[in-house]
Amino acid sequence: MTVRLRAHHLLCLLTYVGKGYSPAFTANYDKVVERLAGGEDILIARGPDDICAPLLDESDPHCLGESAAARDEVAACDVADLLGRPLLAGARLELDASTVARMREAFSSGLTRKACPGCEWFELCGSVAAGGFRGTRLRSNSRKSA
């Protein structure tokens, strides 16, 4: 199977430590991370993705808002520049150990954080990065190291 992710969630995954909007959201996020650890690849999605799913039943989900779409555009450009390949909707990506390490290094240095200002998780993510990504849920697996 394949995990559908919007571009800015490629950045969010790097610092995810099990905190989120609701218990249902974090439980779902944990399942997405498990799927990635199990070797599933990523399909870049336009708009709401597998991480957004629990929020879509809200009366006005922010996943459908312009700010989320704007974050996607900026994140896609930054990550594409880092990886040296386009990340348009429909692109596929594997998060092996080398890719995650490169993405975390770029995130720590601020190179790929242009999409992040204004996000309510900005400070937490900065703190996680400054702490060497300790406690993050995205880990290595037997098929692909992440």
Side-chain angles (χ1 to χ4, degrees):
M1 288 187 65
T2 298
V3 174
R4 295 180 64 254
L5 289 183
R6 60 188 321 153
H8 83 260
H9 282 161
L10 291 171
L11 303 177
C12 302
L13 273 172
L14 301 173
T15 60
Y16 174 64
V17 291
K19 297 182 187 250
Y21 299 103
S22 69
F25 179 84
T26 56
N28 179 66
Y29 209 137
D30 286 341
K31 287 178 186 170
V32 169
V33 170
E34 286 175 24
R35 290 172 59 196
L36 292 170
E40 291 187 41
D41 67 340
I42 293 169
L43 175 69
I44 302 299
R46 175 174 284 130
D49 62 8
D50 291 346
I51 290 174
C52 297
L55 302 175
L56 296 176
D57 290 335
E58 295 177 352
S59 61
D60 186 24
H62 75 271
C63 301
L64 300 174
E66 290 180 29
S67 65
R71 284 187 209 294
D72 288 337
E73 287 182 37
V74 174
C77 288
D78 285 349
V79 175
D81 287 348
L82 175 71
L83 300 180
R85 56 173 290 207
L87 281 181
L88 303 172
R92 291 191 177 269
L93 177 67
E94 291 186 10
L95 286 184
D96 59 28
S98 173
T99 302
V100 171
R102 287 177 62 204
M103 289 175 63
R104 284 186 168 153
E105 183 177 322
F107 188 90
S108 289
S109 72
L111 186 65
T112 56
R113 289 202 72 190
K114 294 180 200 92
C116 303
C119 174
E120 69 183 274
W121 303 101
F122 183 82
E123 295 299 324
L124 174 64
C125 294
S127 175
V128 170
F133 298 93
R134 278 187 303 279
T136 55
R137 302 272 171 106
L138 185 61
R139 306 258 178 190
S140 297
N141 68 69
S142 58
R143 261 184 54 193
K144 296 182 234 178
S145 298

